């Protein structure tokens, strides 16, 4: 890896990623488009609630720890240093088996992506969006199953409040959100209601299968250049049960404002 290039890109400039046509799109993330900014106040509506979608598993791809170890050691160290105390993280592989990573920490939201030259990954480049000091809020939720409700319903709110629908990129994120309890879905979506922008969605999950149940470890991050929310959670689902009857053993959410570039 070119250390000078790394320092220039990650150490000198903090920015959110733009569209990179030369990168193969990961299976669970696409760069988002920015829409015109709206007002910053909470619009007072209630958030849309989503139905759970399919979570396919590819056993040929390594889990996050193995993918993380595939990044150069100096890249990993720089990323952790820039992020600060880690809140949520994962690493994955593109289809060409080149690793990429996301780390949300107390000081910043960091992404590490490969840089391609002549069709091959030549090095890795990091980008950070700074967390605005004092804006980070973390909250744990209980593991009670969500109340019955289908797509298009909203979390509880004041009578007559409009349902606020976010534009998520990619749209498959709605199915990932739909696995979480209603209060978690609201927590993750609410900071973006006033922005009127497309929200970039990124996620990671692992599944374990046992005779009587399945286990799920899932991480989700939503972001624009103004806000970020994330969740780390574990659940079990008895054989034959629908996702709305899942038992959550840990649900920890974070949200923060990001400093303007």
């Amino acid at each position: 890896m070119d250390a000078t290039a790394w320092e220039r890109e990650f150490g000198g400039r903090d920015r959110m990623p733009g569209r990179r046509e030369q990168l193969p799109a990961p299976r669970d993330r696409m760069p988002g488009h920015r829409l015109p900014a709206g007002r910053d106040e909470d619009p007072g509506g209630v958030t849309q609630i989503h139905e759970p979608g399919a979570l396919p598993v590819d056993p040929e791809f390594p889990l996050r720890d193995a993918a993380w170890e595939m990044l150069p050691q100096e890249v990993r160290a720089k990323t952790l240093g820039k992020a600060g105390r880690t809140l949520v993280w994962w690493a994955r592989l593109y289809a060409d088996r080149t690793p990429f990573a996301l780390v949300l920490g107390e000081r910043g939201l960091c992404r590490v992506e490969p840089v391609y030259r002549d069709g091959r990954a030549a090095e890795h480049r990091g980008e950070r969006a700074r967390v605005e000091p004092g804006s980070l809020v973390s909250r744990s939720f209980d593991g009670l199953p969500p109340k019955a409700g289908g797509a298009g319903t909203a979390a509880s709110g004041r009578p007559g409040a409009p349902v606020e629908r976010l534009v998520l990129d990619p749209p498959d994120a709605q199915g990932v959100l739909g696995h979480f309890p209603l209060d978690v879905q609201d927590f993750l979506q609410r900071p973006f209601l006033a922005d009127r922008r497309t929200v970039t969605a990124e996620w990671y999950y692992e599944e374990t299968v046992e005779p009587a149940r399945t286990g799920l470890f899932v991480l989700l991050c939503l972001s624009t250049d103004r806000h970020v929310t994330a969740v780390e959670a574990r659940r079990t689902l008895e054989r034959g049960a629908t996702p709305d009857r899942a038992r959550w053993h840990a649900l920890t959410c974070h949200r923060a404002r990001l400093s303007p570039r």
Side-chain angles (χ1 to χ4, degrees), residues 3 103 178:
V103 180

Side-chain angles (χ1 to χ4, degrees), residues 33-55:
H33 297 289
R34 298 286 190 263
L35 299 181
R39 53 197 171 90
D40 291 331
E41 301 82 10
D42 188 326
V46 293
T47 52
Q48 181 182 10
I49 295 303
H50 305 282
E51 287 186 331
L55 297 177

Side-chain angles (χ1 to χ4, degrees), residues 114-181:
V115 177
Y116 287 83
R117 297 192 184 99
D118 300 323
R120 299 184 62 181
E123 61 182 15
H124 280 80
R125 177 174 298 161
E127 297 171 338
R128 176 178 67 171
R130 293 181 184 273
V131 168
E132 184 178 303
S135 70
L136 176 63
V137 175
S138 298
R139 179 180 171 187
S140 296
F141 291 82
D142 63 38
L144 297 177
K147 298 177 182 178
T153 61
S156 59
R158 59 183 175 80
V163 177
E164 302 286 347
R165 293 175 170 84
L166 301 183
V167 179
L168 300 176
D169 186 10
D172 290 352
Q174 296 179 19
V176 181
L177 267 172
H179 284 268
F180 293 105

Side-chain angles (χ1 to χ4, degrees), residues 98-226:
T98 302
F100 64 96
L102 178 146
V103 180
L104 173 63
E106 289 185 331
R107 293 202 298 269
L109 172 62
C110 298
R111 294 182 177 92
V112 177
E113 299 276 8
V115 177
Y116 287 83
R117 297 192 184 99
D118 300 323
R120 299 184 62 181
E123 61 182 15
H124 280 80
R125 177 174 298 161
E127 297 171 338
R128 176 178 67 171
R130 293 181 184 273
V131 168
E132 184 178 303
S135 70
L136 176 63
V137 175
S138 298
R139 179 180 171 187
S140 296
F141 291 82
D142 63 38
L144 297 177
K147 298 177 182 178
T153 61
S156 59
R158 59 183 175 80
V163 177
E164 302 286 347
R165 293 175 170 84
L166 301 183
V167 179
L168 300 176
D169 186 10
D172 290 352
Q174 296 179 19
V176 181
L177 267 172
H179 284 268
F180 293 105
L182 303 193
D183 49 358
V184 174
Q185 293 192 41
D186 181 76
F187 183 94
L188 294 173
Q189 295 179 91
R190 182 157 296 279
F192 306 102
L193 297 188
D195 279 355
R196 309 302 183 197
R197 302 176 178 209
T198 295
V199 178
T200 297
E202 301 161 89
W203 61 86
Y204 172 89
Y205 57 87
E206 300 172 8
E207 184 182 59
T208 56
V209 179
E210 301 176 3
R213 64 185 61 85
T214 59
L216 183 71
F217 171 57
V218 58
L219 305 160
L220 173 70
C221 180
L222 304 180
S223 65
T224 63
D225 60 354
R226 293 185 175 187

